[in-house]
Amino acid sequence: MPAADPAVKNAKTNASSRLPDLKPQQKIELFRQMILIRRFEEKAKYAYSVQGKIKGFCHLYNGQEAVAVGTISVLNDDDAVITAYRDHAHALARGTEPNACMAELFGKITGCSRGKGGSMHFFDTKRHFYGGHGIVGGQIPLGTGLAFAQKYTGTNRVTLAYMGDGAINQGAVHEAMNLAALWKLPIVYIIENNEYSMGTSIARSSAGDPLTKRAGAFDMAAIQANGMDLDDVRAKTFEAVSLARTESQPTLMEIRTYRYFGHSMSDPGHYRSKEEVESRKGSDPIENYKVRLIEQKVATEESLNAIDEEAQAISQAAYDFADSSPEPDLDTIYEDIFTPEDQIAEFRPDIRG
């Protein structure tokens, strides 16, 4: 894949914060996160397609690992993350336990959403991860609401709201971005452009290239990044996050990436050739980063292979945990629906100015 175009910004984008250099151990940790996501997804694929342990929809992230890991790595622990239904990687990158993630895929009570959400609806509010949403583009107004609350309560936090390239054409997405620009909300809208909206290529679904041109309608900052290059993703996201945190300004990011499997596990992917997929694997983000770490003498091939083996063991342990976990009790169907009013903390803003 060709490198993404240089960052495109409007005149209001003047955040000057510099991305801190990573220490060797931090670089290795980013590799560890990406390879864990890859091995977790491979184990999920096996559980779904071979054993039938996972039911319903299941959207895998193979090929896109640098997007979730790179963007989330520049956040503070109390910043908010919200995404669409291809959400396993974001939860893992945010720190949700692999056991809880796999158990959710299996529909078990030990899952991160108590077995009620499945693949598309991971949640971990303790880590400020707010889903996992199945309606195309539905998470973008919700993410905008999170950013509004962050600004309204003066938290100095920011929100990352992810969407696929198909969701950018949803009307609610544009309504939300319009409000974010008007109200100057601390949010970064991230388009994970994997080139296909389900089975429709971006050339046939979206007018205008790059997709960040849409930001011009709202006088919003726009940035592009190469989603197959972890370092580029981190640098560009940090720029957008700094703008949100220091100036409370929204940004539209387009991160160009590629998924190796179909839209979901039920998609055979006949709309693209095997040659296309194999050729794109030549720019694999994990292999690229592995080579970089070796060239920088941050790690050896042997040590990185050992981390890979550890990721495989963690994924197997998550599978075993999920397989042995109990199903939700029937009585839990009435739980997690409403929060009783007496459990909602009262909030009275200071209106005295």
Side-chain angles (χ1 to χ4, degrees):
M1 186 183 77
D5 293 340
V8 180
K9 300 180 291 181
N10 66 22
K12 294 184 178 179
T13 309
N14 53 19
S16 57
S17 299
R18 180 180 177 275
L19 178 65
D21 293 332
L22 290 174
K23 297 178 181 178
Q25 195 56 43
Q26 291 173 317
K27 294 181 179 182
I28 293 172
E29 177 59 29
L30 294 177
F31 174 82
R32 188 188 308 275
Q33 290 180 26
M34 287 198 293
I35 199 64
L36 174 59
I37 291 168
R38 177 70 60 86
R39 301 312 177 208
F40 180 94
E41 295 290 63
E42 290 172 351
K43 184 59 68 174
K45 183 176 185 291
Y46 173 78
Y48 187 103
S49 60
V50 177
Q51 294 194 311
K53 299 281 187 179
I54 300 172
K55 310 296 183 181
F57 288 103
C58 184
H59 302 83
L60 303 182
Y61 206 71
N62 300 56
Q64 301 183 211
E65 293 88 354
V67 179
V69 172
T71 54
I72 290 173
S73 70
V74 302
L75 293 180
N76 294 338
D77 290 342
D78 55 1
D79 290 327
V81 173
I82 188 168
T83 189
Y85 41 77
R86 199 180 305 276
D87 60 352
H88 311 165
H90 304 79
L92 290 169
R94 202 61 173 129
T96 305
E97 292 297 327
N99 284 5
C101 291
M102 191 67 77
E104 189 59 38
L105 292 177
F106 279 51
K108 301 298 184 71
I109 190 65
T110 52
C112 57
S113 296
R114 305 186 72 209
K116 297 183 176 185
S119 173
M120 297 193 289
H121 303 105
F122 281 17
F123 277 80
D124 190 347
T125 56
K126 291 182 179 179
R127 293 176 173 83
H128 301 276
F129 177 64
Y130 299 100
H133 296 266
I135 298 175
V136 175
Q139 73 280 6
I140 299 303
L142 298 176
T144 305
L146 288 170
F148 178 85
Q150 289 169 333
K151 182 171 184 177
Y152 188 69
T153 54
T155 62
N156 197 37
R157 299 172 184 171
V158 305
T159 294
L160 297 189
Y162 300 79
M163 70 187 101
D165 48 279
I168 192 63
N169 298 317
Q170 289 285 349
V173 171
H174 290 267
E175 292 174 9
M177 290 196 297
N178 182 58
L179 290 176
L182 284 172
W183 296 339
K184 295 180 172 51
L185 300 184
I187 187 168
V188 182
Y189 298 108
I190 298 177
I191 307 168
E192 298 194 59
N193 183 356
N194 60 29
E195 301 186 18
Y196 289 92
S197 304
M198 296 186 70
T200 305
S201 70
I202 188 172
R204 296 174 53 225
S205 65
S206 298
D209 182 40
L211 296 177
T212 46
K213 286 182 178 179
R214 313 293 178 95
F218 311 109
D219 194 24
M220 186 185 298
I223 297 177
Q224 287 182 268
N226 180 356
M228 312 307 271
D229 185 330
L230 179 71
D231 290 332
D232 191 59
V233 171
R234 279 176 42 80
K236 301 294 178 54
T237 307
F238 185 80
E239 184 178 351
V241 167
S242 296
L243 181 64
R245 198 182 309 280
T246 62
E247 300 185 38
S248 192
Q249 293 279 1
T251 297
L252 178 63
M253 282 192 71
E254 179 186 0
I255 304 181
R256 296 185 175 183
T257 183
Y258 195 80
R259 55 174 164 82
Y260 296 159
F261 297 123
H263 171 71
S264 70
M265 286 300 301
S266 59
D267 172 19
H270 295 323
Y271 45 84
R272 56 184 184 176
S273 67
K274 291 182 180 180
E275 291 75 17
E276 176 188 317
V277 177
E278 288 303 314
S279 67
R280 298 304 295 274
K281 287 183 179 180
S283 58
D284 185 84
I286 298 176
E287 288 301 315
N288 286 346
Y289 197 63
K290 181 178 181 179
V291 170
R292 187 172 298 166
L293 294 184
I294 294 172
E295 290 177 345
Q296 294 175 351
K297 301 187 183 306
V298 170
T300 64
E301 184 170 6
E302 291 75 18
S303 65
L304 296 178
N305 287 342
I307 292 173
D308 189 352
E309 293 177 2
E310 179 187 0
Q312 294 178 51
I314 292 172
S315 299
Q316 181 63 50
Y319 173 95
D320 295 338
F321 173 83
D323 197 33
S324 62
S325 291
E327 302 278 347
D329 188 84
L330 285 177
D331 289 343
T332 64
I333 196 172
Y334 299 107
E335 300 172 356
D336 309 309
I337 301 173
F338 300 106
T339 298
E341 290 187 7
D342 60 359
Q343 292 183 20
I344 301 176
E346 183 177 11
F347 174 72
R348 291 180 177 272
D350 187 352
I351 61 174
R352 295 172 294 178

